[in-house]
Amino acid sequence: DRLYNRIADSYVSLFMNISESHKDFILKHYPSALAQSLYSTFCNIYTNSLKYFDEDFKTFLCNLTSEWVCGSTPPPLAWMKWPLNLLEPLNSHNKEDEVVNQG
């Protein structure tokens, strides 16, 4: 509940302090940017749990943040446009491959 309130307060502050010419852009891209930041946070903090941050998890984050901000869900597989190589820890896929190969 505290996280949601903090995000809501930050969003209102951001929205009230940007110029009119940028508001449409922010409204369009903010939910995805928020979902990406949450995804990156999970990946970089819980590195041993990366295998759980799969397609369903990314879809959940997209839907959740879009519902928070817009009141609706994004198109299916919206997360496929994310730059995952920038959001995930360096060499994270190499570590997963090593675990699979050792198993």
Side-chain angles (χ1 to χ4, degrees), residues 5 7 9 23-24 27 30-31 36 43 50 58 69-71 74-77 80 83-84 88 94 100 103:
N5 288 335
I7 291 170
D9 289 343
K23 285 188 180 182
D24 285 339
L27 283 174
Y30 185 75
Q36 289 177 59
C43 288
L50 289 174
K58 289 179 265 202
V69 175
C70 303
L77 303 176
M80 291 190 77
L84 294 175
E88 297 172 345
N94 294 344
V100 169

Side-chain angles (χ1 to χ4, degrees), residues 75-92:
L77 303 176
W79 58 266
M80 291 190 77
K81 296 179 181 179
W82 292 0
L84 294 175
N85 60 318
L86 299 176
L87 301 175
E88 297 172 345
L90 294 176
N91 302 321
S92 61

Side-chain angles (χ1 to χ4, degrees), residues 33-93:
L34 180 58
Q36 289 177 59
S37 67
L38 290 171
Y39 177 75
S40 184
T41 300
F42 274 96
C43 288
N44 284 283
I45 292 176
Y46 303 109
T47 56
N48 292 333
S49 300
L50 289 174
K51 65 183 176 188
Y52 299 110
F53 306 143
D54 57 7
E55 294 178 7
D56 290 336
F57 182 74
K58 289 179 265 202
T59 298
F60 169 77
L61 288 178
C62 284
N63 290 343
L64 180 67
T65 58
S66 186
E67 287 174 9
W68 281 351
V69 175
C70 303
S72 62
T73 57
L77 303 176
W79 58 266
M80 291 190 77
K81 296 179 181 179
W82 292 0
L84 294 175
N85 60 318
L86 299 176
L87 301 175
E88 297 172 345
L90 294 176
N91 302 321
S92 61
H93 293 287

